[in-house]
């Protein structure tokens, strides 16, 4: 895939701005990465800076898409390693020498754009943005069984009730992933498990776990016993 700078170079070549073109790809570009890529409320997020210029003199962090002082989080002077706390600073935020910004115990209010402004020795500045999205952790699902004592050869229906839709569901038996066999049927987007006919070996503890990719919760266990006639 061609990058936009490469396309720009091709265009520039035609108009003979060769020098500009040659210089562009050699510049190590500062990038910001979210670590971890997804964070739920209560977690920690690092806005990790890659390729901070070696000649950086100062960098400022803003909680917004533009560099407005009222949205400034902190400024860091690299020659003497000093941090100045700005209006948007809180005890949960820490700026590191590397440029990275750590936000602890994130809330929905921390969602949004963050901007890093860097200055080098020639006092040239560069703006880089990153968008942080704080997700709500999933709520604990409820597991219901139509009966908890089943007669051998009878049937049982277990239903997992998540608080939200669109979550993936996993089934557990005695705290391990459930091993499905031909007597088991899953339906309603994996939220319903029917065992028919029930065997003695099906007795035990059932749970379901819901997940949205970055957070997961398990239901309380349902104990099922099987009796022979
Ligand atoms: C840090 O360095 C800057 C610029 O070199 C200077 O203006 C500032 O007073 C210094 N701060 C401290 C605490 O030494
Ligand atoms: C600033 O911190 C860096 C990394 O911890 C260290 O290498 C450097 O010597 C420090 N500079 C000053 C002036 O304290
Ligand atoms: C995290 O923030 C919440 C409020 O948003 C607070 O109730 C909780 O005590 C904080 N946890 C820690 C470990 O600081």
């Amino acid at each position: 895939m061609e990058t936009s700078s490469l396309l720009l170079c091709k265009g520039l070549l035609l108009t003979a701005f060769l020098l500009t073109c040659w210089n562009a790809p050699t510049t190590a570009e500062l990038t910001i990465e979210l670590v971890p890529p997804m964070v739920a409320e209560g977690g920690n997020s690092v806005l990790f800076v890659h390729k901070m210029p070696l000649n950086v003199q100062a960098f400022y962090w803003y909680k917004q898409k533009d560099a407005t002082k009222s949205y400034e989080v902190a400024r860091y002077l690299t020659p003497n390693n000093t941090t100045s706390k700005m209006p948007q600073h809180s005890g949960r935020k820490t700026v590191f020498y590397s440029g990275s910004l750590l936000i602890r115990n994130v809330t929905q209010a921390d969602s949004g754009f963050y901007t890093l402004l860097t200055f080098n020795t020639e006092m040239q500045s560069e703006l880089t943005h990153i968008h942080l999205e704080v997700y709500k952790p999933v709520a604990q699902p409820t597991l219901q069984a139509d009966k908890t004592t089943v007669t051998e050869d009878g049937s049982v229906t277990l239903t997992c009730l998540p608080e939200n839709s669109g979550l993936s569901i996993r089934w557990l038996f005695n705290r391990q992933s459930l091993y499905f066999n031909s007597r088991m049927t899953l339906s309603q987007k994996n939220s319903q498990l029917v065992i028919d006919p029930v065997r003695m070996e099906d007795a035990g503890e059932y749970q379901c776990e819901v997940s949205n990719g970055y957070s997961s919760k398990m239901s309380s266990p349902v104990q099922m016993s099987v009796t022979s006639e």
Side-chain angles (χ1 to χ4, degrees):
M1 203 180 76
E2 282 190 308
T3 64
S4 56
S5 64
L6 207 57
L7 288 170
L8 180 69
C9 272
K10 283 188 171 175
L12 289 171
L13 274 170
L14 295 175
T15 45
F17 281 109
L18 257 174
L19 196 64
T20 317
C21 182
W22 260 203
N23 283 341
T26 60
T27 316
E29 250 188 51
L30 187 158
T31 53
I32 306 170
E33 181 194 3
L34 291 176
V35 182
M38 303 258 230
V39 66
E41 263 183 335
N44 298 336
S45 184
V46 179
L47 281 57
F48 196 95
V49 175
H50 292 281
K51 301 206 173 104
M52 178 64 99
L54 292 173
N55 62 351
V56 72
Q57 285 302 291
F59 56 85
Y60 300 180
W61 271 105
Y62 298 87
K63 197 206 166 297
Q64 238 228 0
K65 208 169 179 180
D66 51 344
T68 312
K69 198 165 177 183
S70 55
Y71 291 100
E72 200 171 335
V73 175
R75 49 182 67 181
Y76 196 100
L77 304 175
T78 34
N80 49 16
N81 289 346
T82 52
T83 314
S84 311
K85 292 169 182 170
M86 302 305 282
Q88 290 290 319
H89 196 275
S90 70
R92 296 183 294 112
K93 298 192 182 99
T94 308
V95 173
F96 295 99
Y97 176 71
S98 63
S100 300
L101 174 66
L102 163 69
I103 311 173
R104 278 181 295 263
N105 194 14
V106 295
T107 67
Q108 300 273 310
D110 293 318
S111 290
F113 275 101
Y114 287 78
T115 297
L116 177 66
L117 173 64
T118 58
F119 295 96
N120 67 17
T121 38
E122 279 87 57
M123 284 318 272
Q124 289 167 324
S125 64
E126 194 185 338
L127 279 176
T128 314
H129 313 283
I130 185 92
H131 190 264
L132 175 71
E133 179 97 44
V134 177
Y135 297 90
K136 275 215 168 297
V138 289
Q140 191 185 31
T142 308
L143 180 58
Q144 287 180 346
D146 63 347
K147 44 185 144 352
T148 51
T149 303
V150 196
T151 321
E152 195 175 9
D153 291 329
S155 78
V156 66
T157 302
L158 294 156
T159 310
C160 185
L161 302 164
E163 206 124 287
N164 315 95
S165 56
L167 303 173
S168 65
I169 298 174
R170 191 165 82 93
W171 288 87
L172 295 107
F173 177 60
N174 292 334
R175 311 258 165 188
Q176 312 256 307
S177 275
L178 175 65
Y179 177 78
F180 289 96
N181 60 42
S182 58
R183 297 179 294 104
M184 296 174 177
T185 315
L186 278 177
S187 62
Q188 301 187 6
K189 296 183 176 161
N190 290 348
S191 68
Q192 197 165 72
L193 170 69
V194 176
I195 312 177
D196 187 15
V198 169
R199 300 264 185 261
M200 293 308 285
E201 70 253 31
D202 296 327
E205 204 177 86
Y206 289 81
Q207 279 172 292
C208 68
E209 185 190 57
V210 296
S211 155
N212 57 9
Y214 49 86
S215 125
S216 61
K217 285 253 168 66
M218 242 178 243
S219 68
S220 298
V222 166
Q223 189 70 42
M224 191 171 78
S225 40
V226 182
T227 55
S228 54
E229 277 177 303

